């Protein structure tokens, strides 16, 4: 077993066994992905309005949480899935990599997570209190914080194919005491020990292809089975995710694998996490991010975003405006809750106008306009003018796709785009569905509302108007219409496709 050490936010690397020190390309690629990785690390850490008293900040840390096994399985074994929103005691990543430099290839793995830290405010008699105000008017609140941890290991690929490598990735217990001004009291920060280990192995599938497995498990002693979750978190790895790079290797997309690798891609078992290609699209598979939050290949943080708001699923402009409107008393509580909340308030309160204006939106790319298929009609009024929706009928309108008019009742096969599609939609690739309606957006684009053929709740969804929405170029007509009994094709990944996705309401494309 190689030595592994995590102290504070520092990293360790074990490189023994390499013929020579590997190039730093994979380490540099990790740093390029730091913004996305940090967004995963702190997703949901503290949500608007960033106050301790807010109900949403009393149930925290919902992604990638690895508890001691005996505690999390006290009522039965965990059920594996690719989503990391379920509590577990382990996390497993499997991916495919091509060997580009036989005999001298290496793999670099960095495991990152948060260790819970209990911040307790005490008065002058060292008695625990919920809050304390010092003479200068500063308020100090008791609240749970977290410390980022990381451990990195570099291993020759030949060793992984032979015996594998296991490294400890835990974090030591600790106590920090911070006296408050003028002897008003003190703040005591306590951390329990977190015990965990990561095992990296590889299996050769052909001369130039192998399957890599990275499995991180909480190996610590469990608290009593009826211990509250908030208390059990003290021994857990929180927001656990993995960066995987290498030298002399190239990773394969599991979301959109090459045709000849579709079968081995489907056989990869990813549990409580899912790997996607990192970095820019032209990086040719040099980096993977395996996260408990399902992401598309090559995820990026919008360059217009001035900083993390700990809610990447929300729109920066909306959160910024809401934060600006907090009352002075609410802002005082938020600042006292957590230093990261204070940093958000400082950034919002001092944001230059030109930075704020960039949050309103950006055009990343333009799609060519399809040639007109019918004689031009009178120009339709702008969407805000009276009569703008005149003549539109979602249930009877049709749109041409591959020469076939699609409308209510048409049957289609789903073909989500590889880049720019909702990450959840990718699990519906190849499934068959029925069109319910055709909707025209105010920007002139068209979306078709569909229900899945094999969704047992499709009639219920139709009754209250809950659909999946796709662009015309993401649908393949089944015309002449296929039989109603035609089975749905399986999704191209190992995970079972969910029945509902985030695409249930049409939304403007992010970025």
């Amino acid at each position: 077993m190689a030595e592994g050490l995590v102290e504070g936010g520092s990293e360790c690397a074990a490189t023994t066994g390499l013929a020579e020190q590997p190039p730093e390309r994979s380490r540099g690629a990790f740093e390029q992905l730091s913004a996305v990785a940090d967004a995963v690390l702190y997703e949901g850490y503290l949500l608007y309005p960033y106050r301790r008293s807010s109900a949403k900040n009393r149930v925290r840390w919902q992604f990638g949480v690895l508890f001691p096994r005996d505690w999390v399985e006290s009522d039965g074994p965990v059920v594996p899935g690719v989503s990391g929103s379920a509590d577990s005691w382990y996390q497993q990543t499997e991916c495919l990599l091509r060997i580009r430099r036989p005999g001298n290839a290496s793999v670099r793995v960095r495991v990152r997570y948060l260790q819970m830290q209990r911040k307790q405010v005490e008065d002058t008699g060292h008695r625990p209190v919920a809050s304390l105000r010092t003479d200068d008017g500063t308020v100090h609140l008791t609240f749970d914080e977290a410390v980022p941890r990381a451990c990195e290991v570099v291993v020759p690929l030949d060793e992984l194919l032979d015996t594998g490598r296991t490294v400890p990735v835990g974090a030591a217990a600790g106590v920090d005491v911070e006296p408050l001004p003028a002897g008003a009291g003190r703040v005591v920060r306590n951390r329990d020990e977190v015990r965990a280990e990561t095992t990296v192995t590889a299996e050769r599938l052909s001369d130039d292809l192998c399957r890599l497995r990275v499995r991180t498990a909480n190996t610590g002693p469990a608290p009593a089975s009826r211990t509250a979750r908030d208390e059990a978190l003290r021994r857990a790895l929180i927001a656990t995710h993995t960066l995987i790079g290498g030298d002399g290797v190239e990773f394969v997309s599991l979301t959109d694998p090459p045709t000849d690798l579709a079968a081995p891609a489907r056989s990869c078992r990813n549990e409580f996490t899912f790997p996607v290609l990192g970095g820019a699209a032209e990086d040719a598979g040099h980096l993977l991010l395996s996260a408990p939050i399902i992401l598309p290949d090559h995820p990026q943080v919008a360059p217009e975003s001035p900083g993390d708001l700990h809610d990447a699923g929300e729109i920066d402009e909306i959160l910024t405006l809401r934060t600006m409107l907090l009352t002075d008393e609410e802002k005082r509580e938020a600042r006292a809750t957590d230093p990261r909340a204070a940093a958000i308030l400082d950034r919002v309160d001092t944001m230059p106008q030109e930075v704020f204006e960039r949050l309103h939106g950006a055009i990343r790319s333009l799609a060519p306009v399809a040639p007109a298929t019918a004689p031009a009609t009178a120009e339709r009024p702008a969407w805000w003018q009276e009569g703008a929706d005149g003549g539109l009928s979602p249930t009877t309108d049709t749109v041409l796709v591959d020469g076939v008019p699609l409308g209510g009742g048409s049957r289609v096969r789903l073909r989500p785009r590889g880049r720019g599609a909702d990450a959840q939609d990718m699990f519906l690739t190849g499934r068959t569905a029925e069109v319910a309606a055709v909707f025209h957006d105010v920007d002139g684009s068209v979306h078709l509302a569909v229900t899945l053929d094999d969704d047992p709740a499709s009639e219920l969804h139709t009754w209250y108007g809950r659909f999946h929405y796709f662009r015309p170029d993401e649908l393949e007509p089944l015309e002449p219409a296929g039989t109603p009994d035609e089975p749905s094709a399986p999704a191209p990944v190992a995970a079972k496709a969910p029945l509902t996705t985030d695409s249930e309401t049409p939304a403007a494309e992010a970025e």
Side-chain angles (χ1 to χ4, degrees):
M1 178 179 292
E3 293 79 22
L5 178 63
V6 180
E7 286 296 337
S10 64
E11 302 162 358
C12 61
T15 59
T16 57
L18 291 174
E20 57 185 42
Q21 185 70 16
E24 291 300 307
R25 183 180 64 184
S26 57
R27 176 183 288 273
F30 283 179
E31 306 314 320
Q32 294 172 13
L33 197 58
S34 61
V36 175
D38 285 347
V40 172
L41 186 66
Y42 286 102
E43 177 66 11
Y45 173 79
L46 194 64
L47 298 175
Y48 170 87
Y50 308 113
R51 306 191 315 267
R52 182 186 68 173
S53 59
S54 175
K56 65 176 70 174
N57 288 321
R58 297 176 188 173
V59 181
R60 303 168 66 201
W61 294 312
Q62 302 299 314
F63 302 102
V65 182
L66 308 185
F67 289 98
R69 181 173 186 175
D70 289 345
W71 183 86
V72 77
E73 292 192 333
S74 59
D75 292 325
V78 297
V79 180
V82 295
S83 173
S85 59
D87 292 339
S88 178
W89 58 272
Y90 74 96
Q91 190 179 83
Q92 176 176 294
T93 298
E94 285 192 354
C95 60
L96 301 178
L97 59 83
R98 290 188 170 103
I99 305 171
R100 297 306 191 194
R101 201 168 63 214
N104 195 28
S106 64
V107 173
R108 183 186 299 271
V109 175
R110 181 183 295 178
V111 178
R112 305 173 80 231
Y113 62 93
L114 296 175
Q115 178 188 17
M116 180 175 156
Q117 177 172 266
R118 179 68 51 82
K119 181 182 73 172
Q120 178 64 60
V121 179
E122 298 180 353
D123 62 16
T124 54
H126 296 175
R127 292 181 295 268
V129 294
S131 65
L132 191 150
R133 185 186 297 270
T134 56
D135 292 341
D136 62 0
T138 303
V139 177
H140 300 270
L141 299 178
T142 293
F143 194 66
D144 290 336
E145 302 172 333
V147 179
R149 304 297 189 189
C151 188
E152 183 172 304
V153 60
V154 182
V155 191
L157 180 59
D158 288 345
E159 178 182 337
L160 297 179
L161 290 167
D162 184 20
T163 60
R165 178 82 68 89
T166 298
V167 296
V169 293
V175 178
D176 299 324
V177 179
E178 175 191 353
L180 297 179
R186 65 180 189 175
V187 176
V188 181
R189 291 177 169 86
N190 280 282
R191 298 176 298 278
D192 283 6
E193 180 185 17
V194 175
R195 299 182 188 176
E197 63 182 25
T198 294
T199 298
V200 188
T201 58
E203 173 190 1
R204 188 179 295 277
L205 302 180
S206 65
D207 290 344
D208 63 349
L209 181 71
C210 67
R211 179 184 293 113
L212 182 73
R213 173 184 290 180
V214 180
R215 185 181 177 95
T216 299
N218 188 319
T219 58
S225 60
R226 298 304 172 188
T227 299
R229 185 178 187 273
D230 286 349
E231 186 64 25
L233 281 165
R234 296 168 65 91
R235 303 184 188 180
L237 293 78
I238 300 168
T240 313
H241 60 282
T242 307
L243 302 178
I244 309 174
D247 292 292
V249 298
E250 179 182 314
F251 297 97
V252 176
S253 169
L254 297 190
T255 302
D256 187 21
T259 303
D260 60 325
L261 297 181
R266 283 195 297 269
S267 68
C268 290
R269 295 184 57 84
N270 288 283
E271 299 176 352
F272 305 104
T273 187
F274 191 80
V276 296
L277 296 179
E282 59 271 16
D283 285 345
H286 296 312
L287 180 66
L288 278 183
L289 169 61
S290 184
I293 301 169
I294 298 176
L295 300 169
D297 280 338
H298 310 291
Q300 297 177 7
V301 173
E304 293 80 13
S305 180
D308 198 352
L309 294 168
H310 307 323
D311 192 355
E314 187 53 274
I315 300 172
D316 277 20
E317 183 183 31
I318 293 177
L319 284 180
T320 299
L321 286 169
R322 289 177 175 175
T323 303
M324 287 178 174
L325 294 176
L326 292 175
T327 66
D328 290 343
E329 182 59 34
E330 288 173 326
K331 289 183 178 180
R332 277 193 292 270
E333 182 186 348
R335 290 183 184 279
T337 297
D338 191 276
R340 300 188 71 87
I344 290 174
L345 292 176
D346 290 341
R347 185 170 67 246
V348 168
D349 288 344
T350 61
M351 184 177 294
Q353 182 64 26
E354 60 270 19
V355 174
F356 179 75
E357 289 175 353
R358 289 203 300 266
L359 299 181
H360 189 62
I363 297 176
R364 299 282 182 248
S365 61
L366 297 174
V369 178
T373 57
T377 58
E379 184 176 351
R380 183 179 299 278
W383 64 267
W384 62 85
Q385 295 177 334
E386 184 177 356
D389 57 354
L392 296 180
S393 176
T395 57
T396 60
D397 285 350
T398 61
V399 60
L400 279 179
V401 177
D402 295 337
V404 178
L406 296 183
S410 300
R411 296 190 61 250
V412 296
R413 192 177 302 278
L414 307 180
R415 302 294 187 194
R417 291 165 293 160
R419 175 65 176 167
D422 186 287
Q424 296 282 356
D425 288 349
M426 304 306 295
F427 292 96
L428 303 180
T429 298
R431 303 277 286 279
T432 58
E434 181 177 318
V435 176
V438 177
F439 292 98
H440 296 263
D441 296 342
V442 296
D443 62 0
S445 60
V446 177
H447 284 85
L448 287 84
V450 306
T451 56
L452 299 176
D453 286 347
D454 57 359
D455 184 349
S458 60
E459 291 186 4
L460 181 62
H461 292 328
T462 301
W463 177 72
Y464 56 73
R466 190 177 188 183
F467 304 108
H468 300 274
Y469 292 85
F470 293 90
R471 289 177 20 163
D473 60 358
E474 296 179 298
L475 301 178
E476 174 188 326
L478 294 179
E479 297 290 346
T483 63
D485 296 329
E486 179 180 348
S488 266
V493 293
K496 180 180 179 181
L499 296 180
T500 58
T501 77
D502 290 339
S503 64
E504 287 164 345
T505 55
E509 289 184 25
E511 305 184 4

